[in-house]
Amino acid sequence: MNPESLSTLANPKVALDAILNELITLSQAIDPDQLNQAAGLLEERYRHHQKVFLAGAGRSGLVASLFANRLVHLGFSVFRTGEVTAGPIEKDDLLIIVSGSGKTTTLLELARKAISVGARLLVITLNESSPLSKSAAIRIVLPGTTRLMQENSFSSIQPVGSCFEQLAFLACETLVVVLQQRLHLSDEDLLSRHANLE
């Protein structure tokens, strides 16, 4: 984007439209087969009463927490790694990691432990060649850049990492919509599982 265009981003409406246009353009690069595979993996966990664990660092961790919240509403047995109430991961459970770079040391260790007990790994990332991505049973590869991957050819008007985090959130919300339909859950079913100690 040229300097003159950048100066117009001081206008909130222009900035909002530009962000939405970025997301619409980038979302076209998301492979629907990967989303379908991820939905299938989650549906299996639901039908077999297996646990789902979610992990991520920084802002990606917030996306993981938001997804965990929606999975609770759908009726999954869900744990956020690192929380004192999280139980042990076991064979055939699922660990979902949201990581743009796919290189975060602590997340790599979580993945290693999960795989060692026979759990499945789903990774939401933009780095298809990362160690984390390569160890996943299923991956959702998103376009964008992160703090650790700025050599990517995509240039955003937003701070580094924002597009990935937004697309990761939208991918997770897509899975929620798909799963709600596949599991034949009504909005009332989801509302019945909302927190009431707020």
Side-chain angles (χ1 to χ4, degrees):
M1 191 171 276
N2 61 50
E4 185 177 317
S5 298
L6 285 173
S7 69
T8 65
L9 293 174
N11 179 316
K13 177 70 168 76
V14 173
L16 177 59
D17 287 347
I19 289 169
L20 292 175
N21 285 332
E22 282 189 352
L23 294 177
I24 289 168
T25 300
L26 289 171
S27 67
Q28 303 307 306
I30 301 173
D31 186 345
D33 288 338
Q34 293 179 348
L35 289 170
N36 192 49
Q37 290 172 2
L41 189 61
L42 278 158
E43 187 178 355
E44 285 177 12
R45 307 285 81 70
Y46 181 90
R47 299 199 185 282
H48 293 97
H49 307 287
Q50 291 157 337
K51 301 185 294 292
V52 178
F53 293 77
L54 289 104
R59 287 166 53 104
S60 295
L62 297 177
V63 174
S65 293
L66 292 169
F67 191 27
N69 175 254
R70 282 296 186 213
L71 291 176
V72 167
H73 296 159
L74 289 170
F76 283 81
S77 176
V78 180
F79 299 95
R80 183 68 168 84
T81 62
E83 296 293 330
V84 69
T85 53
I89 194 165
E90 299 172 302
K91 187 178 186 299
D92 294 324
D93 286 343
L94 175 63
L95 173 60
I96 301 172
I97 296 179
V98 182
S99 173
S101 71
K103 299 176 181 177
T104 306
T105 306
T106 52
L107 299 177
L108 285 167
E109 180 59 19
L110 292 178
R112 186 196 64 76
K113 286 182 180 177
I115 291 168
S116 73
V117 300
R120 306 293 301 278
L121 177 62
L122 166 61
V123 172
I124 301 173
T125 186
L126 58 75
N127 189 354
E128 191 169 14
S129 63
S130 71
L132 197 54
S133 188
K134 287 180 178 178
S135 64
I138 293 174
R139 66 197 56 79
I140 298 172
V141 181
L142 305 174
T145 58
T146 70
R147 177 177 54 85
L148 301 178
M149 288 185 64
Q150 296 184 47
E151 73 279 4
N152 190 304
S153 61
F154 172 71
S155 177
S156 173
I157 63 161
Q158 300 183 73
V160 173
S162 289
C163 276
F164 168 73
E165 294 142 6
Q166 292 157 359
L167 287 171
F169 174 74
L170 291 174
C172 291
E173 290 293 282
T174 300
L175 292 174
V176 170
V177 170
V178 169
L179 287 165
Q180 182 177 357
Q181 298 307 308
R182 291 188 184 182
L183 300 174
H184 308 290
L185 298 171
S186 67
D187 288 342
E188 288 72 22
D189 292 328
L190 272 66
L191 285 169
S192 73
R193 299 188 185 102
H194 267 258
N196 61 2
L197 292 176
E198 294 180 308

